[in-house]
Amino acid sequence: MSDYVMLVAPSANHVYAEQAPTMAVAELAVTTTVENPERTAMAGVEYVGFGADALDPAAIARQSSALALFERAGELLRPVQLPAVQVMDDDLLTITKYAGKTNEMFTRLLLHVTCAQVRTAGPERPVLPGGVRQLDVLDPMAGRGTTLQAAWLMGHNGFGVETDERAVEQLAAFMKTYLRRKRLRHKADAAPVRREGRVIGRRFEVTAHPGVATGGHDALEGAPALTMSVLTGDTRDSARLFGRRRFDAIVTDAPYGIVHGARSARGNREGRGDRSPAALLAQAIPVWAGQLRAGGALGIAWNAFGLTRDDLAAICADAGLEVCPGPAWEQFSHRVDSSIRRDLIVARKPAR
């Protein structure tokens, strides 16, 4: 068995940076077959160390915080080249800055640990760099599309539902400008969504072909086309908005505050526009579970101060999902600020 150390990428958020190595250990544990991942320090520099009999460099390259990999050779470190696994430039995810945006490293972590549990992809799916297959990823609380952009970065299709029409407009404007400036072949349009003869929302849809070398890394020849489709509406209406479409993975960062809901629903007799995050998840998770393909996975980040892990696991179980077990899954909890302790949970839909 060979010993390796992975250098964790720095984070602009110093609170997240302090906790990133611990989460990197947990991410390795739940997405790879490496042995005994742990935090370690060498010459005052912190790494994540692990052992492996047959190392898969692509599996390390897909880690959300992987900056560099080294093999231990006595007291020396031998660099190990990581293969390119991204199909878009990093700046797709990092250019936009706004209040409330989730840390990009955490978004990539949540996406990665969820997609690693998916067992839906058949041989007909396009193969992505690193040997994984392209997935359809839904974020039913999409905001301005950080999760969808992270999905594109790794070669997956991104779909979303967002109650804030202004956020969808901002995402559409950014994506059109970004793709035009990158000179990537694409097609984008917006249109109303109709069901039973009436308009129930609007859709922004874009397809792109990331097969041209641009920007900060070499885009990969032969990379499959990417689709992004975002609908306006309440997340609890996600199944009605997308109809019969099903998804391989559902990945979302649940609201940390006390109110979330469709603005147009405020004041109706159900009171749907005034719900706590816990009540919202209790209503929404059964809807999302119905949108998963058999063998698909649901990944949720949430504020553990407002809902316990056991209670959220019970909601998932009641919706017919199987929560991923094991101590590593309980190592992702971390402080965001004094009122938010963010955690994540991943649950699978049983394969038929």
Side-chain angles (χ1 to χ4, degrees), residues 3-18:
D3 290 329
Y4 299 88
V5 292
M6 183 183 78
L7 183 62
V8 175
S11 173
N13 184 316
H14 73 92
V15 175
Y16 189 88
E18 291 173 357

Side-chain angles (χ1 to χ4, degrees), residues 307-332:
L307 180 66
T308 69
R309 169 176 285 272
D310 287 345
D311 286 344
L312 183 54
I315 294 172
C316 292
D318 289 344
L321 304 176
E322 299 173 349
V323 175
C324 294
W329 289 103
E330 299 180 7
Q331 301 304 310
F332 293 109

